[in-house]
Amino acid sequence: VPDDSATSVALLKLYFQQSTQHVPEFITYKAADMEQALACHGAVLVIGDRALKVCELPPAPHVLDLSAWWVEKTDLPFVFA
């Protein structure tokens, strides 16, 4: 998980708790090192402007829009802050 968004990390943990009943171990990486983290770990939480750059990388096997999941699950809006 990136080191620059506690909100997104909390939402990701909630997603795993409610969707799989298992929360994997999260390893924090420097947000600027996203590509290196992906190469080392195979999965990363990508947020903000970096998420827009992911389309330049090889396709990820699974992409999850956390805010869309939140709206679908709760019928409430979600604001990343």
Side-chain angles (χ1 to χ4, degrees):
V1 294
D3 61 357
D4 63 348
S5 178
T7 305
S8 297
V9 173
L11 185 58
L12 183 62
K13 287 180 182 179
L14 183 64
Y15 167 79
F16 277 109
Q17 288 170 343
Q18 293 194 2
S19 299
T20 68
Q21 287 79 42
H22 173 74
V23 178
E25 176 186 2
F26 291 158
I27 299 169
T28 302
Y29 69 90
K30 291 194 179 296
D33 296 335
M34 177 205 52
E35 289 184 53
Q36 181 181 0
L38 184 56
C40 291
H41 303 291
V44 294
L45 173 62
V46 183
I47 60 168
D49 290 348
R50 286 175 203 86
L52 300 175
K53 295 179 182 178
V54 167
C55 63
E56 299 170 2
L57 300 175
H62 183 77
V63 176
L64 171 67
D65 181 334
L66 287 171
S67 60
W69 171 80
W70 174 264
V71 170
E72 181 181 309
K73 187 79 172 168
T74 67
D75 202 28
L76 296 170
F78 190 86
V79 177
F80 290 93

